[in-house]
Amino acid sequence: MARGTYSAKDIQVLEGLEAVRKRPSMYIGSTGPKGLHHLAYEVVDNSVDEALAGQCTAIDITIHTDNSITVVDNGRGIPVDNVPKYRKPAVEVVLTVLHAGGKFGGEGYKVSGGLHGVGVSVVNALSEKLDIEVKRDGKIWRQSFDHGKPTEGLKSAGTSKATGTTITFWPDPEIFETIQFDYDTLAARMRETAFLNKNLKIALVDERELEPRRETFRYAGGIVDFVKYINEGKDTLHHKVIYFEAGAEEGVVEVAMQWNTGYSDSVLAFANNINTHEGGTHLEGFKNALTRTVNDYSRRQGILKEKDDNLSGEDIREGLVAVISVKLRDPQFEGQTKTKLGNTEMRGFVQSTVMQAFAEYLEEHPKPSRAIVGKASQAAKARAAARKARELTRRKGLLESSTLPGKLADCSIREPELAEIFLVEGDSAGGSAKQARDRSFQAILPLKGKILNVEKAGINKALNSDEIQAMITAFGTSIAEEFDIEQARYHKAIIMTDADVDGAHIRCLILTFFYRYMRAMIEAGYVYIAQPPLYKLAHGKKHEYAYSDRQLQQTIARLPENAKYNIQRYKGLGEMNPEQLWETTMDPATRTLLQVTVDDALAAEKSFVDLMGDNVEPRKEFIQRHAKDVRFLDI
Ligand code: 0RA
């Protein structure tokens, strides 16, 4: 996997940087929080490439108090020799010419590519300031940039025996809606990167906190540790994580898997370290292989009789946690979000690798194998029973949108694109919301306190819960296999709970339900979290709302000196009168909604399990940490 010997001439030029500042979203997806975080990923990914080339063992990331980020690696250092075509040092070209990472064409082996491989020049273009330091050939080199343009030429700044690259960048507030980096989002990504690159040490420090937060991620077990991490706190069917790897002309594949006793599966697929959320050929190959191998084995062992139907892939994957990681030379990323691997050769390659290795595993490990097959057979039986129950429920009309739940105060509009449904905690808040709403396009569904935890209950129990049935009928989409997004009656489902610990818990229960049974609603961007204010600050005849402690302090600080003011803390939605609720939380003109995404499937899965699973400790910690911060799902 070594990058060929590199020289300045390999750098190819594609286009200039002005385009990036004009149309940032074309390069980083958005100028919201997600795009902002992509800047950090891009810089880190370049260092990770250096690690993949076997030339870098440690990466340090620091979030500074002014929201700048420093990334340090101990790689070879970006080359500083002159690029004849530009008559400039390679490092300057890399930072100022689009797609000049030395990775496009020629000798350069493009590993990161795809989603984030836009090049550090894009980060430079979108930063009000960027500093780089390269240690190489016994020397230290420095250069600074202002909105992507060098302030001076590359300067030698002393000597050093070390090698490596240090980049500090200040995201441009004129480009980004926010320049606040989210520690948890970066930490989740760094942890994932560390899992995918065995033994690479990634340290993250947040200097913005009084007591700096810091974590170091380094996993000697690679994706085996990844699977253990996801299964933490769950009961597993077999002790050891199953692992295999293979390398061939097509590339390399690594698979780690372990079943737990739960009902859902978490199969994560990566191609060149990129989370392929939309799947692709590597995932298809894996699934095919798993289904075939388990069925072959079950028949050979006589567990499945001749008359029996094959176990379905879904039944076999119930409770499975798996990570599939492929690395290949020329990845083709397709799909809506360019996270679907398209290389056809990967299907057969992964399939034959997994079939051979897993068949061998099953033969050699009779105990875990019987447990795995036993669970799949049970899943098949439960699924058949659930189907029957669903058919019954449907016959009774419970899942049909024709009989809307009694508690639903529907809106009058019938165009789903314009319709919103508020899922509101408790009947009293539901009452306020009904008075506050614009009934033409806003529906209200009050939910009783704690809804059923679907992480723990199976689909049958879920269907028996009134609250869950009400949600399903109101949405009109049905669930699980029968889910049909086309039938959605609202394109905004807005979770509106109190801004306290209980509210956070209920929000999480509702999200778990979406995540497990209506994930496509989240993927379609239909699920939102309302942001009710925490405080009302009255001064003179005016009043302002604050949505965080920090904002409250800032608002107070802006008041004229000696101004009298009064602070009201809202403990629940019920404390607001309908006008206030409308103005602060429901009026599209003034409210803020957080859109829920499953971009970071792992972070989401983990939050849900920490909160819902069997372990009490992580749950306590999670609630404490997130009581005031709802952005636990990737932003
Ligand atoms: C091009 C060629 C070489 C290294 C790098 C780029 C490089 C880029 C980054 C970005 C962050 N850290 C980095 N470290 C290295 C190879 C140079 C050689 O052959 O010595």
Side-chain angles (χ1 to χ4, degrees):
M1 214 152 288
R3 208 193 286 270
T5 324
Y6 169 95
S7 77
K9 72 171 169 11
D10 280 327
I11 292 172
Q12 293 178 3
V13 190
L14 297 176
E15 41 176 317
L17 277 195
E18 307 76 55
V20 182
R21 285 186 64 82
K22 268 203 194 114
R23 294 228 184 107
S25 303
M26 290 243 316
Y27 299 87
I28 52 161
S30 80
T31 54
K34 227 169 144 170
L36 176 80
H37 287 78
H38 278 177
L39 297 189
Y41 303 160
E42 181 58 43
V43 178
V44 174
D45 284 354
N46 279 281
S47 300
V48 172
D49 276 4
E50 200 50 11
L52 279 169
Q55 305 290 340
C56 162
T57 56
I59 303 172
D60 291 340
I61 299 122
T62 308
I63 317 168
H64 302 289
T65 48
D66 60 357
N67 276 303
S68 61
I69 286 203
T70 299
V71 179
V72 185
D73 73 47
N74 63 352
R76 289 167 292 186
I78 302 181
V80 292
D81 54 333
N82 215 51
V83 184
K85 180 167 173 191
Y86 291 93
R87 303 201 204 154
K88 280 178 184 147
V91 56
E92 181 177 335
V93 175
V94 165
L95 281 162
T96 54
V97 179
L98 203 52
H99 286 170
K103 297 188 208 166
F104 288 76
E107 281 283 285
Y109 177 47
K110 184 176 142 202
V111 176
S112 67
L115 197 56
H116 301 292
V118 288
V120 268
S121 60
V122 168
V123 178
N124 195 17
L126 300 178
S127 296
E128 65 180 344
K129 184 167 142 73
L130 183 146
D131 291 344
I132 187 158
E133 179 182 283
V134 171
K135 295 195 185 108
R136 208 181 145 90
D137 304 327
K139 286 199 176 125
I140 303 176
W141 301 89
R142 293 210 178 102
Q143 193 168 22
S144 291
F145 300 81
D146 180 322
H147 297 88
K149 299 199 178 82
T151 53
E152 277 187 88
L154 183 70
K155 291 268 176 320
S156 159
T159 59
S160 171
K161 282 192 188 123
T163 65
T165 304
T166 301
I167 291 177
T168 304
F169 67 96
W170 288 257
D172 191 342
E174 285 178 14
I175 301 269
F176 292 96
E177 289 157 29
T178 168
I179 54 163
Q180 280 284 333
F181 284 101
D182 182 73
Y183 179 88
D184 290 323
T185 302
L186 290 176
R189 167 78 180 208
M190 294 312 130
R191 179 181 286 112
E192 182 179 289
T193 304
F195 279 133
L196 292 167
N197 298 280
K198 203 182 286 187
N199 277 320
L200 174 61
K201 186 171 148 204
I202 306 182
L204 177 63
V205 180
D206 189 348
E207 290 179 344
R208 296 169 303 181
E209 311 267 336
L210 282 175
E211 186 74 27
R213 260 177 101 175
R214 61 180 77 233
E215 276 169 287
T216 300
F217 308 109
R218 183 188 176 171
Y219 301 101
I223 62 169
V224 168
D225 287 344
F226 201 163
V227 167
K228 283 187 193 161
Y229 174 79
I230 300 173
N231 263 338
E232 215 170 78
K234 297 182 190 168
D235 289 330
T236 53
L237 277 193
H238 51 105
H239 184 64
K240 252 185 109 178
V241 175
I242 304 166
Y243 173 83
F244 23 82
E245 63 184 320
E249 199 163 318
E250 293 90 341
V252 292
V253 57
E254 273 187 285
V255 174
M257 52 188 193
Q258 186 181 39
W259 274 262
N260 62 51
T261 54
Y263 296 105
S264 48
D265 64 278
S266 301
V267 180
L268 306 180
F270 297 85
N272 291 358
N273 287 338
I274 288 165
N275 192 332
T276 39
H277 292 293
E278 297 171 280
T281 49
H282 54 338
L283 186 61
E284 287 163 21
F286 169 77
K287 287 182 174 177
N288 289 343
L290 202 65
T291 307
R292 282 173 60 173
T293 315
V294 172
N295 275 300
D296 286 354
Y297 174 80
S298 304
R299 290 203 186 276
R300 253 201 323 282
Q301 295 287 319
I303 307 170
L304 272 186
K305 304 281 182 295
E306 204 158 337
K307 60 172 173 43
D308 293 333
D309 283 339
N310 262 351
L311 297 163
S312 76
E314 253 176 279
D315 294 331
I316 292 167
R317 291 192 301 275
E318 193 184 270
L320 171 66
V321 169
V323 175
I324 299 119
S325 170
V326 299
K327 303 221 167 93
L328 63 164
R329 215 151 258 282
D330 189 18
Q332 308 293 319
F333 291 102
E334 304 168 348
Q336 287 235 307
T337 54
K338 292 270 173 288
T339 57
K340 182 173 181 185
L341 186 68
N343 302 58
T344 48
E345 74 277 10
M346 275 294 130
R347 190 183 293 106
F349 172 55
V350 175
Q351 184 166 324
S352 59
T353 301
V354 174
M355 281 195 30
Q356 204 206 333
F358 192 44
E360 207 168 288
Y361 172 92
L362 290 172
E363 295 299 338
E364 287 170 7
H365 302 80
K367 245 175 105 180
S369 301
R370 270 198 302 273
I372 292 165
V373 174
K375 175 148 173 67
S377 317
Q378 268 184 341
K381 284 196 197 107
R383 207 176 293 277
R387 198 171 299 128
K388 262 198 205 125
R390 251 195 327 273
E391 274 159 16
L392 264 178
T393 334
R394 191 170 309 109
R395 227 167 292 144
K396 281 191 277 169
L398 283 174
L399 291 184
E400 303 287 300
S401 46
S402 51
T403 50
L404 288 169
K407 290 192 304 175
L408 173 74
D410 208 2
C411 54
S412 45
I413 232 166
R414 283 286 161 263
E415 287 108 306
E417 309 81 57
L418 305 175
E420 307 182 340
I421 183 169
F422 283 82
L423 307 170
V424 187
E425 165 188 359
D427 284 334
S428 81
S432 304
K434 277 180 200 173
Q435 289 180 357
R437 69 175 175 149
D438 180 333
R439 63 190 313 134
S440 68
F441 69 98
Q442 293 180 318
I444 309 290
L445 182 63
L447 296 171
K448 247 194 259 117
K450 304 274 163 75
I451 69 159
L452 180 81
N453 180 356
V454 295
E455 173 76 29
K456 279 187 164 175
I459 187 163
N460 261 335
K461 252 199 173 154
L463 283 170
N464 276 327
S465 146
D466 287 344
E467 311 303 307
I468 286 180
Q469 235 167 47
M471 283 198 280
I472 300 168
T473 29
F475 299 156
T477 54
S478 194
I479 57 166
E481 296 110 275
E482 271 108 44
F483 179 87
D484 181 5
I485 192 112
E486 298 294 321
Q487 301 297 318
R489 302 178 62 247
Y490 316 90
H491 284 192
K492 281 201 177 74
I494 304 165
I495 304 168
M496 188 160 74
T497 56
D498 289 342
D500 60 9
V501 171
D502 269 354
H505 191 185
I506 293 165
R507 182 170 56 238
C508 230
L509 288 167
I510 299 175
L511 284 171
T512 305
F513 166 71
F514 276 116
Y515 185 70
R516 289 296 174 215
Y517 292 115
M518 296 191 174
R519 199 172 300 182
M521 287 274 285
I522 303 181
E523 282 159 357
Y526 290 179
V527 184
Y528 296 84
I529 297 172
Q531 295 276 278
L534 286 178
Y535 302 101
K536 179 180 171 183
L537 182 76
H539 50 96
K541 287 199 181 90
K542 283 202 260 175
H543 64 259
E544 288 175 72
Y545 298 101
Y547 294 82
S548 66
D549 290 310
R550 181 193 237 159
Q551 199 187 359
L552 177 70
Q553 296 314 326
Q554 285 170 347
T555 314
I556 292 172
R558 273 204 311 273
L559 293 177
E561 227 173 295
N562 294 330
K564 283 211 174 101
Y565 60 86
N566 175 47
I567 301 171
Q568 182 188 357
R569 185 183 163 92
Y570 291 120
K571 286 188 214 77
L573 297 164
E575 289 182 9
M576 271 180 269
N577 64 36
E579 290 73 42
Q580 289 172 333
L581 189 57
W582 166 255
E583 182 187 341
T584 59
T585 317
M586 295 176 73
D587 179 1
T590 48
R591 72 186 178 195
T592 312
L593 294 181
L594 285 184
Q595 192 174 38
V596 176
T597 74
V598 277
D599 191 43
D600 193 337
L602 176 69
E605 158 81 14
K606 204 51 193 165
S607 329
F608 288 124
V609 173
D610 282 355
L611 201 59
M612 311 300 167
D614 307 314
N615 273 353
V616 181
E617 264 321 301
R619 174 157 60 231
K620 254 167 61 192
E621 203 224 357
F622 179 89
I623 291 177
Q624 280 158 4
R625 174 161 300 161
H626 294 287
K628 276 184 283 172
D629 173 17
V630 293
R631 291 162 186 265
F632 56 88
L633 286 174
D634 177 64
I635 37 178

